Amino acid sequence: MTTYQEFIQQNEDRDGVRFSWNLWPSSRLEATRLVVPVSCLFTPLKERPDLPPVQYEPVMCGRANCKAVLNPLCQVDFRAKIWACNFCFQRNPFPPSYAGISDVNQPAELMPQFSTIEYVVQRGPVAPLIFLYVVDTCLEEEDLQALRESLQMSLSLLPPNALVGLITFGRMVQVHELSCEGIAKSYVFRGTKELSSKQIQEMLGLMKPAVSGQQGRPAAPQDPSATCRFLQPVHRVDMNLTDLLGELQRDPWPVPQGKRPLRSTGVALSVAVGLLEGAFPNTGARVMLFTGGPPTQGPGMVVGDELKTPIRSWHDIQKDNARHLKKSSKYYDTLANRTAVNGHSIDIYACALDQTGLLEMKCLSNLTGGHIVMGDSFNTSLFKQTFQRVFSKDYSGEFRMAFGGTMEVKTSRELKVCGAIGPCVSLGAKGPSVSENEMGVGGTSQWKVCSLNPSTTLAMFFEVVSQHNAPVPQGGRGAIQFVTQYQHSSTQRRIRVTTVARNWADAQSQIQHIESSFDQEASAVIMARLGVFRAESEEGPDVLRWLDRQLIRLFMFHLRRSPFLQVFNNSPDESSYYRHHFVRQDLTQSLIMVQPMLYSYSFHGPPEPVLLDSSSILPDRILLMDTFFQLVIYHGETIAQWRKAGYQEMAEYENFKQLLQAPLDDAQEILQTRFPMPRYVDTEHGGSQARFLLSKVNPSQTHNNSNGWTQEPGAPILTDDVSLQVFMDHLKKLAVSSST
Amino acid sequence: MNVNQQTPMASPYGQPQPGYGQPGYGAGYPAPYAPYNNPASVYQPGAPPQGPLRGPPTSVPAPVSAAPQAYSHYGQGEMQNGPPPGSQAPPRPAVSQPYNQGAVNLSGPPQPYPQQYGAPPPMQQVTNQMTGMQISTGPPTAAGPGYAPPHSSQPPTSAAYSIAPHPAYTQGPPPASMAPSQPPPPRDPAPPQPYYGGPPPPQHPASSASAAPLPPPPSSHQSFPPTSYPGPQAPLPAGPQAPLPPGPQAQPPYAQGPPPPGSQPHYAPAPPHAHGSYPAARGPPPPSQPGPYPPAGPPPTSAPPGHYQGTMPPQPPAGQPATYHSGPPPPRAQMPPSSMAQTNHLPPGPQGPPGPLGPPGPLQQPPPQPGMQGGYPPQQNGAFGQVRGPQPGYPGPYPGQQNYGPQAPAPAAQAQKRLDPDAIPSPIQVIEDDRVKTTEPFTTGVRGQAPPLVTSNFHVKDQGNASPRFVRCTAYNMPCTADMAKQSQVPLAAVIKPLATLPPDETPPYLVDHGEAGPIRCNRCKAYMCPYMQFIEGGRRFQCGFCSCVSDVPPHYFQHLDHTGKRVDCYDRPELSLGSYEFLATVDYCKNNKLPQPPAFIFLIDVSYNAVKSGMVNIVCQELKTLLDHLPRENPEMDSVVRVGFVTYNKVLHFYNVKASLAQPQMLVVSDVADMFVPLLDGFLVNVKESRMVIDSLLDQIPEMFADTRETETVFGPVIQAGLEALKAADCAGKLFVFHTSLPIAEAPGKLKNREDKKLIGTDKEKSLFQPQVGFYSTLAKDCVAQGCCVDLFLFPNQYVDVATLGVVPVSTGGSVYKYTYFQAQSDRERFLNDLRRNVEKPMGFDAVLRVRTSTGIRATDFFGSFFMSNTTDVELAGLDCDKTVTVEFRHDDKLSEETGALMQCAVLYTSCSGQRRLRVHNMAVNCCSQLADLYRNCETDTIINFFSKYAFRSVLTSPTKTVREGLVNQCAAILACYRKNCASPSSAGQLILPECMKLLPVYLNCVLKSDVLLPAADVSLDDRAYLRQLLSGMDVSESHVFFYPRLLPLMKLEGDSLPLAVRDSEERLSKGGAYLLETGLHLFLWVGANAQQELLLNIFGTPSFGQIDPNLTSLPVLDNPFSKRLREIVDAFRAQRSRYMKLIVVKQEDKAELIFRHFLVEDKNASGGASYVDFLCHMHKEIRQLLS
């Protein structure tokens, strides 16, 4: 028997699932006592190079409210050609195509190694992918130029048959028609007026109400010729669009002194959503918003155009002094839900030095699975490379993106699903396996995940419903099946089915077993997600208190200090940004986010991970810190002096040069794969950018406790935050007192 | 009075008579006739033919000479009549004649009166009438004594003319039988004679004798019926008159007239003085004709003598109206005219003096009727003569009666027929007379001087008052008090065309720059520095001519005064010496205290299915390419600074970005028509030169882009909103050119529905059809005005588009509406393009405010035109072009003084096409009078009609058209009645006496009443009516003149550089063998008679046969012959004269299209119930008589 460690790893590799507990307590009461709920992190599209999709459709249980998919856990009677559903115990005959099934001739889905299997659905129309660029033109010329280039470049990255569209906005919103020759044509919307989807479609000429009515077809908005005007296959309008982007002017309306440019982001998005809604409902589509500032007019306005009124800060929000916050949040929330219903997703690429209103707009991406990328300027590699990476391909040359996914969870009778936390919205599917107890997005057994990539990870929460007095028979297993339907980037519709099972354990008799089946990392991330989810909807301090009550181990200290829960020193936009990524990244990345990694480079040996502690900051070390969002290379005082002196240029100090180079290489490696691109900082002792490091480390030495004469190594931090040591002391005290 | 008149008449006549030498008639009447004849002849060239002509000739000459004089008097002011001191007597006659005739005609019915009046009215007409009257007078004399007798007698006479005249008219009429009344006429004839005979037995004989002869003549003259009258008058005419047996009778009276001769003597005495003007009649007073008039009081006015009613009292009884009618109806149309003539004639007839008349008669009307003429002259002169005759008998008082007497006779003749059209005042004659008379440049220095008619060519020298090209007044001698004004009912108004284009030989207003402080103004009323400011205290202060407030002269403006109290630099400064000039405005005069941006032109083109299909889109786009090189500019050397923008639309709007830096234009579609906005700023309004390439490319592509459109619905309100928003965004004023095809039924603000409902026409609800359907456009217009956004609308409808509503914005913003119904690229292209070109190129101002300041005592109270007013004093014009006029009505709020006169200053603040803010100032001073006669001597009928029509056309918005029509008739009747009552010399109530300067009022008024707006024909669409209604509101006097009374040119002979003499707008003036050109300012018809000579056809069309003429021709074939060349020149000249291009329509006689053409023959009865001139005149007369009784 392998260790749990291995077991966990194995399961993650195969199914993309990590449970907080790998043995499940057999009754509700015991489960509740465990504090950390039975839950898992599930990565629906975990990359499985070794798993070729099967070219047929899944066999499903015939019971109407079950519809579970045939899986290796099912009991099969090869003779009778019957299988029993392991969720509802319904006995189902195999379909005719399985006539040849036998002990030795089993379909893949019955083999244990195919607990995760992907089917390709052959039926149905093939819908092209759609990319709709929504571009802010209220940019500085330099930024706009960079953006133009990025966009033009992106055309070459798109699948040739993908449909592409362009909406630009500033004071007005322009929907560009791509099909016409000669005169460039665009439809213009006023940036201050909220329009219904129907109005938008009418104004774009997408609806022929009278005609469709006559034909007796329910309003069929799929008038190809009409929609084609705005969304054209890339290969056909490549040149045209390149020119169009090339001629993109800055918003021509004058911006008076002391004013912000008028930016109609809200309307632009609503037009984009309306356009897709009318033309391509339930087809994979990506709205990509590029904005260089906050929406300043119309619905969704985040801040007025008066420069003297600064954009809301956490302080304002706490004082209830953010005028537009509620209204615009609500606006974007409604918009996001509409988008999600249609299976489209919205990306936000916000590049500005000031806030851009991500706080209000975050739901657009959070609910639709879109990306949020935050940068200082479009003219930075952070943006350029991140944007490029959106179109990255996997080992088989397929885009790492999937659209319009729906994920369904089926559970065996002893379990119910409480909810999910991740880039998803509820589909409101009630059923026997839905718990009344909601955690995250609950009350349903199906979620829509409009956009997925191989690292998209949801946290799923379950509830054990067995009564205390009816323990599960020994050796019984609880099973969970995840059925994820999605549109592959090749435009195929696919269904991935993951079926997992865990043993039940009697908490009273097998508490040690359960204890040892605990997955510390998964639990930490799951709890952190829960914390973040609450932080989004509740007051910060309350969440912290809640978290503190939940016990936890070491890195909860860092979580407490992380920007996911602490808003101090972060703008609302930043908080939104960090949280956005936290609730969708896979476990590894999430862990990095919670507790940044710190590597130390020195002449004393190979790079080694060191404690994220101020004591690790030494003069003769180079530190590499990865917080997911930032990649910081910190040169210790001595190293910095050496470097300044130019030793690395001297042949005799080749080793120093190598030392300097090592963290750079490592950083590069990280940069290669990380999405979004982290902020890359190369700094040294005393550098202003060193703050990124100093704010993360455990302040074991601060200006309060470090006396001038102590010889302790490390660097004192200027902070009033408590150090881990203090935290632990308190925690211990609390743990004891609470247990009594 | 009468006596006086008569006397004067006599004298004048006397003189002439001598000339005439003719029998009794000759003596007294001749002279008068002669004059009349002349005029008459002029009018009724045709008529003259008669033998009598000869006579006339002689007389003619005399008259001619006289005429000139007369004109001088008359011509100038109507005053003449009065003023023209004796000497002119002869002239007057001439003048008067024309008038008289007109008057006479009127009188015709009322004959008696007129004549009498005529007499009194020194005015010729009056006189004529008088003459007529006189004739009757003859009888009247009898009557005079006891009206009764006269009546009886007169009646007959009068009958001849007018109803009362019945008898008289009837007589004539009897034949005419026209009016039921006429029946009686027959009797009349008899009676008349008797009467005449009775009274003027002697004459009778003569007359009778003449009469006898007359009968025959009639045949010949028939057409001249008028002559018939003459007939009566002059035996000669008799021939012609033959038809007018009654005439003869009438004549008898005339015959009496002869006796008048005797009377003449009487007159003679008086006449001498009077001569000059009818006044001459009053001659006695002659010295100052006015003087004489004075007695007549109104006499001068009398000139207006429109009073036809020679008949006088008698008539009244008769019920002249009937007479009139009767008159007219009888014989042919002409006859009727004759009846009219009668009036005139009557006088003449009576005048027996006809002798003289006779001659004249020939000249004029039916000269044939020498008798008639006689009659006429009599009326005028004769009338007097007769009158005199009678007068003698009668003491002064009744002279009128006398008139009647005479008239009666004439009337008798007339009665039988209708009024003779040739005898009633002829617009053509008046126009021609004025044209001939106008040889000297018109200098504006003299206060209260009426300018030449709009139809005359003249040169203007600005000597302190604004040129009539800028300002025309209804009255150049305003009543001093409100009571007078109210009594006279004469509207006091000015028609101002602030930016009028001047002929090349006149200097445009100078631009004055008073520096940073801006124009010097009165401290209190803010009037601008002008020649009426009086400098005092050595030039340190000045007193305002308007409010009398004394203000300091700013140091930089100080100048010493010379010994006359004038500033030394007076003639160096336009604002001190001229009537019109401009100031450069300072920033204080600008919106938001910011110097304005140059204006912008935005072209908004409908690209719906209809627009594309009709070819409009293509034409507009093609044309714009060249047109853009001709945007208005002040300095021809420079490029225009006007920026342009383009929008196309159907159900949605397409804006175009034509920024110079673009390789291709960009189209921006705005579908949110419910909430219009401008999608772009930079690149929408561009400099033509810089963006030329892009614009050309755009204009090439627009037709292509929409070639296959199937969109039929359009919006309209949002289109204007779009233009407005664009101007707002660019912060400038400008003009929108909207090319639109259909009723905007697409869902959008300002959406309209089809509400054309023929059933409402004629009902009380009809007015609602002229009102905008929705309030949206009024609000929009207000916004447009606030921004200085002028909207010009070019409509290309195939069906109802609701011009009444669509036109609201253009009309309120100083814009124009052009309508090309059933537009077809091929046939309407030229017209449309010319209109468009002219519209784009014409000089105009933007964002203008016009204010009229007046001297204390009067106030501008009402304004008409294309503009918007947010308060009661400031006329706001988003745009003001060189063709737009504003008509201002004044009312008294205090007394005016005769010394200072009445001053008005019209100041227009506007932004020029180069973006300069300017003030144009027009000053006008008119006299003030305490005598009504002076008022009536100095009116301008064309301007009055302009005012009346604008007033009426506006009233249809609030009142049923019937009420409006009645209101107009009533007011005119009141005006004329007032004149008759207060100014004309006493005369028989049956006589129609018109003031000299208003003798065309009835005919023009009739045209207004018959216009499509007030009395629509069945085939006139509501849109057309609304269109015309709006169009008129901006017309100046010359446009409204030709609009209501079209110019009809015979084309039989085109020689030299002068135009052929126009003929009156009546079918009977058309010769089957000829071709005519008719111009209304909107339409141009070439009418070809069925029997047109081959040569003519060859010359014009290049085809010898009538049948081969293509009725669809839109332009004349270019043929290499002098005739064709000249004709085309004429057509071109006509077009050049008008602000809108007139499409040539060839109308072949008997062709369907002739119906349309006939519609413009405004002197005829029309299909929709409009009265003929003759009938209307009678009606008018009746109204006047009712007022007088």
Side-chain angles (χ1 to χ4, degrees), chain A residues 88-136:
Chain A
C88 67
F89 305 113
Q90 160 100 2
R91 298 169 70 82
N92 301 289
F94 281 105
S97 54
Y98 281 61
I101 192 169
S102 75
D103 233 347
V104 291
N105 183 15
Q106 295 186 12
E109 62 264 37
L110 288 180
M111 301 179 189
Q113 67 268 40
F114 288 105
S115 57
T116 291
I117 187 168
E118 191 154 310
Y119 302 87
V120 176
V121 179
Q122 311 285 0
R123 292 170 293 128
V126 175
L129 298 186
I130 297 169
F131 296 87
L132 180 52
Y133 295 159
V134 181
V135 182
D136 178 7

Side-chain angles (χ1 to χ4, degrees), chain B residues 1158-1171:
Chain B
R1158 277 194 199 155
H1159 189 67
F1160 295 101
L1161 298 177
V1162 292
E1163 285 197 18
D1164 295 342
K1165 194 172 276 195
N1166 72 17
S1168 46

Side-chain angles (χ1 to χ4, degrees), chain A residues 657-670:
Chain A
K657 188 178 180 186
Q658 284 168 359
L659 180 65
L660 286 180
Q661 190 58 40
L664 294 183
D665 292 342
D666 289 353
Q668 210 52 47
E669 208 168 300
I670 296 172

